């Protein structure tokens, strides 16, 4: 009988106030894709970090090819042939791909000069072998997210990994990039590599997995295969109840104009035009979805609307105020909530306790500040209420946001922004990294806000999300809205073409 | 750059984190004393004897205790100044210069105007704080406006302050005490001197009370006011601060102003409470030592007070130590240097004691804006 390449037994890990992993048994067979599912905070990343040596388990053993091993740090893990691609990439942005790969390879010591050309040749060989297209000479920060991820994978392979752990690799990818990644995954497993694949997207699980394991509350609650199960059943297994995979909503009843954007022009960080004359309107009580492949100006558009980025041309009107050049606080005070795309850069102060992150935009207003004094009790009460309402899994509200699971960090942001009394909600990738149960909750909440008369601007790379929530869909391509279509009649194919820059009229020719 | 990983999360709870920091500080001190002791032994001295001498010099008599307290006071002021900067993500190396400017402003206010006693002292203190604040506002403004890094600009403002002051007390300098052969300034009027609680030398002046108020004030400011929230937010994540509607540039300048005011106040207290004049060498290096004090105290006002006490004890005790035991006072400087080394680079002692990895939550802002953004 073939030994599993990786087997863990009785893995247990406690954090202050949480049992993150509770006697988990798991095995990974050679050449398979093992998909791991579970709610936010179920303990998936913790288990992977233990296997990769970033955390040490309190109890339990790890076996590689049947032999027990002790993994105390990532170097040990790499020696055991384990590699991990983190949800947030670990590449040095200003270095090239090749330089990044050489960084970790201290055993190249002994050479006085680093042999860059050799590394480049090796990268090219790997990249051909597994269909991982990446230019070793390109600077990392210039690469699109998908290519950065391929570079991460190459790095892991370069260090001789036989077992690859991919923690929510598709969360940051566009559907096309995700498809590319799946091709790579298949070619890896065909050549004998074994893969653990964490994701919240059930569609992907059904497509790529050989076997599926589900974690809930730190325990392993089920093992199955795509053939034996369905998306609905998986959702049920994860959350422990029925999940509506589709949002129910009435037709919108648009009211007064809330946001009117005319011919907006914005530059990106490198001062290249990113938004080239965008015109759009959002009315009270409607959801305008902005669909598009990532990197087509969505981020710059949102940042310009919220006062975070300079506008170089055009005009923004928010509830009758000219906010073209307004400061962020002005935009907020007129009545805007903003779920930012990059949760670690903008959305959170990771070192802050959850309760402080929940008042990040309102700390200076009553009841949180009275006569120049912060009111710790009011801040705490607010947090307790939101943690409860939004089902944020945290031991206490004084726990630093940094020790929450990825999805729970996102929920902190969503809770903060959705709980404010606003007229305009700008949500960029609001459900990135969030489990199906919570997605359902957030989607319902967005529709409830719409029905209460809030204007919603939804920016998302998830076509499903855009189609489920929007009343109208604006497709952005190279910084321009190339078309706006009503959501009822929009099809995936039509949107897909538009997102690729093919206009219907032209497509018909 | 997004290099945040699950791994860099702080594994410890708030309390765990707190006690861990205290632990690192204490370890650093102990380790430094041990190495210091080894050096004493290697150079033919008796470490126990030396440290006993140090202790006696700091606490032996009432006079010694007063001296320790008086020596601790400026370390607290300057340490608070550095700590406020760090909390706001700013490495204010300019505390040294701000302290000098505060001294000089208090000095001028102390002899150039006539006011009733008490009021005069208060006025001179205020001018000292103001001087430090303005001097610190310059690098703050440069950073906010142009992005010029405060480490560079505060080093420059230090030089400027030092040189201008040295010139002004040199022969024929405007502040030089007329007719004196020494580089010293005029004396402040008696009405501007800080009243003393004892009649010892040095006097236990009321600057000691002021500094205690300052400690609590800084605590209140940082953790109990919206401005403090803004300072800490900017210090930890300037992008998130901007997103939250905080005026980052304004906050940077304000942080420097508060930091500089504390340093200036420290300088003023020194001049008005101790000598009553300024001379070369007075307080030199204090602003730099206070960086160690702030780090030792984890940039927390109470920690700073504790760290400052340690430095005050060593400064007050080293004379007696050298006199009584022949252990050279330089050993104290070595120990202080070692402490700075260990608290600034906890990685050095971590493997020794198998401490857990430093978590994200606790890399308090020391290098938060080193990359230049802000
Ligand atoms: N470093 C840490 N310190 C304290 N608690 C932690 C730490 N890391 C994880 N936890 C806690 O352990 C639990 C499991 O977290 P983990 O990150 O493994 O969840 P996850 O399954 O990856 O969730 P997500 O889908 O949201 O990424 C959570 O309750 C989290 O708050
Ligand atoms: Mg996770």
């Amino acid at each position: 009988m073939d030994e599993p390449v990786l087997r863990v037994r009785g893995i247990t890990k406690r954090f202050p106030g949480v049992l993150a992993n509770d006697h988990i048994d798991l095995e990974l067979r050679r050449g398979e894709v093992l998909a791991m599912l579970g709610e936010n905070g179920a303990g998936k990343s913790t288990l992977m970090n233990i296997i990769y040596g970033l955390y040490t388990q309190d109890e339990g053993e790890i076996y590689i090819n049947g032999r027990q091993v002790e993994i105390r740090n990532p170097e040990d893990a790499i020696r055991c042939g384990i590699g991990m691609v983190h949800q947030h990439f670990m590449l040095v942005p200003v270095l090239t791909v090749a330089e990044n790969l050489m960084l970790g390879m201290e055993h190249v010591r002994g050479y006085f000069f680093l042999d860059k050309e050799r590394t480049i040749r090796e990268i090219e060989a790997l990249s051909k072998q597994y269909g991982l297209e990446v230019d070793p000479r390109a600077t990392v920060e210039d690469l699109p997210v998908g290519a950065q991820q391929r570079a991460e994978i190459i790095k892991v392979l370069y260090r001789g990994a036989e077992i690859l752990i991919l923690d929510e690799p598709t969360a940051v990818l566009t559907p096309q990039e995700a498809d590319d990644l799946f091709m790579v995954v298949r070619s890896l497993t065909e050549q004998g590599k074994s893969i653990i694949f964490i994701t919240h997207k059930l569609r992907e699980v059904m497509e790529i997995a050989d076997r599926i394991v589900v974690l809930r509350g730190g325990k392993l609650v089920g093992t199955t295969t795509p053939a034996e199960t369905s998306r609905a059943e998986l959702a049920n297994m994860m959350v422990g109840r029925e999940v509506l995979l589709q949002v129910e909503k009435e037709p919108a009843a648009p009211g007064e104009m809330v946001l009117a954007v005319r011919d907006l022009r914005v530059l990106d960080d490198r001062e290249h035009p990113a938004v080239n004359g965008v015109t759009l309107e959002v009315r009270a009580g409607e959801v305008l979805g902005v669909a598009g492949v990532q990197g087509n100006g969505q981020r710059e558009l949102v940042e310009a609307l919220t006062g975070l980025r300079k506008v170089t041309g055009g005009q923004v009107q928010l509830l009758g105020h000219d906010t073209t050049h307004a400061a962020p606080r002005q935009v907020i005070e007129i009545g805007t909530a903003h779920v930012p795309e990059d949760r670690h850069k903008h959305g959170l102060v990771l070192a802050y306790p959850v309760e402080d992150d929940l008042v990040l935009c309102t700390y200076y207003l009553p009841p949180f500040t009275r006569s120049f004094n912060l009111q710790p009790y009011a801040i705490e009460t607010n947090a307790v209420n939101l943690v409860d309402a939004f089902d944020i899994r945290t031991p206490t509200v004084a726990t630093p946001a940094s020790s929450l699971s990825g999805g729970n960090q996102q929920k902190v942001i969503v809770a903060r922004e959705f709980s404010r009394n606003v007229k305009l909600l700008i949500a960029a990738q609001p459900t990135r990294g969030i489990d199906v149960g919570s997605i359902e909750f957030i989607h319902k909440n967005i529709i409830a806000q719409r029905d209460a008369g809030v204007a919603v601007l939804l920016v998302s790379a998830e076509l499903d999300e855009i189609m489920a929530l929007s009343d109208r869909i604006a497709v952005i391509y190279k910084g321009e809205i190339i078309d706006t279509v009503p959501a009822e009649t929009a099809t995936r194919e039509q949107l897909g073409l538009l997102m690729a820059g093919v206009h219907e009229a032209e497509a018909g020719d | 750059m997004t290099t945040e990983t699950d791994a860099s999360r702080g594994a410890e709870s708030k309390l765990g984190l707190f006690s861990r920091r205290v632990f690192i500080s204490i370890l650093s001190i102990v380790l430094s004393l041990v190495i210091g002791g080894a050096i004493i032994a290697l150079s033919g001295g008796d470490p126990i004897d030396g440290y006993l001498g140090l202790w006696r010099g700091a606490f032996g008599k009432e006079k010694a205790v007063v001296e320790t307290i008086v020596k601790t006071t400026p370390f607290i002021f300057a340490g608070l100044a550095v700590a406020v900067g760090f909390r706001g993500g700013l490495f204010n190396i300019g505390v040294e210069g701000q302290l000098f400017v505060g001294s000089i402003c208090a000095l001028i206010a102390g002899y150039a105007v006539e006011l009733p006693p008490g009021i005069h002292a208060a006025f001179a203190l205020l001018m000292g704080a103001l001087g430090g604040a303005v001097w610190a506002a310059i690098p703050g403004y440069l950073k906010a406006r142009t992005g010029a890094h405060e480490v560079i600009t505060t080093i420059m403002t230090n030089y400027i302050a030092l040189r201008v002051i040295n010139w002004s007390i040199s022969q024929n300098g405007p502040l030089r005490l007329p007719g004196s052969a020494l580089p010293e300034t005029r004396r402040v009027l008696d009405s501007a001197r800080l009243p003393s609680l004892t009649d010892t030398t040095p006097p236990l002046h009321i600057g000691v009370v002021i500094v205690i108020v300052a400690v609590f004030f800084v605590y209140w400011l940082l953790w109990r006011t919206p401005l403090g929230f803004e300072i800490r937010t900017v210090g930890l994540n300037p992008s998130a601060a901007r997103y939250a509607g905080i005026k980052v540039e304004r906050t940077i300048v304000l942080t420097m102003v508060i930091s500089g005011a504390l340093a200036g106040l420290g300088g003023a207290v020194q001049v008005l409470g101790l000598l009553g004049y300024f001379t070369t060498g007075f307080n030199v290096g204090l602003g730099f030592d206070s960086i160690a004090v702030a780090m030792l105290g984890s940039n927390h006002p109470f920690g700073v007070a504790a760290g400052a006490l340690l430095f005050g004890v060593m400064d007050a005790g080293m004379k007696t130590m050298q006199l009584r035991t022949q252990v050279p006072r330089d050993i104290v400087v070595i120990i202080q240097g070692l402490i700075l080394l260990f608290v600034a680079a906890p990685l050095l002692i971590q493997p020794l004691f198998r401490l857990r990895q430093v978590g994200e939550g606790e890399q308090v802002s020391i290098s938060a804006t080193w990359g230049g953004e802000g």
Side-chain angles (χ1 to χ4, degrees), chain B residues 94-119:
Chain B
V95 167
E96 177 94 357
Q98 291 142 24
L99 208 124
F100 284 156
V101 171
S103 299
I104 295 300
C105 289
L107 175 91
I108 296 172
Y111 76 69
V113 294
E114 282 181 42
L115 286 167
I119 296 181

Side-chain angles (χ1 to χ4, degrees), chain A residues 40-41 43-46 87 167-168 198 200 405-407, chain B residues 6 9:
Chain A
N40 296 127
K44 304 178 296 291
S45 298
T46 302
Q87 184 169 347
D167 192 353
E168 297 192 37
I198 300 181
H200 288 293
S405 79
Chain B
D6 295 34
R9 295 170 183 178

Side-chain angles (χ1 to χ4, degrees), chain B residues 275-296:
Chain B
L275 292 184
Y277 62 92
F278 188 91
T279 174
T280 45
F282 188 44
N283 292 328
V284 163
L286 183 67
F288 297 122
D289 289 342
S290 60
I291 295 169
V293 168
M295 285 185 164
L296 195 57

Side-chain angles (χ1 to χ4, degrees), chain A residues 16 45 49 55 88-90 93 308 328-329 338 344-346 348 352 360 363 373-374 402-405 416-417, chain B residues 1-7 9-11 220 224-226 229-230 232-233 236-237 239-240 242-246:
Chain A
S45 298
N49 285 334
Y55 295 160
H88 301 273
F89 304 148
M90 314 268 284
L308 290 167
R329 177 145 299 167
H338 170 202
H344 287 160
K345 184 170 177 214
H346 287 129
L348 289 172
Y352 270 172
L360 199 59
Y363 62 92
N373 271 277
L374 291 172
S402 55
S403 55
L404 265 55
S405 79
R416 176 182 73 217
E417 296 305 309
Chain B
M1 179 164 87
T2 46
T3 49
E4 163 63 21
T5 64
D6 295 34
R9 295 170 183 178
W220 171 77
R224 287 285 179 268
T225 68
F229 190 95
E230 291 170 1
R232 288 182 298 123
T233 306
L236 290 166
N237 187 344
S239 304
R242 245 161 72 69
Y243 157 86
I246 294 169

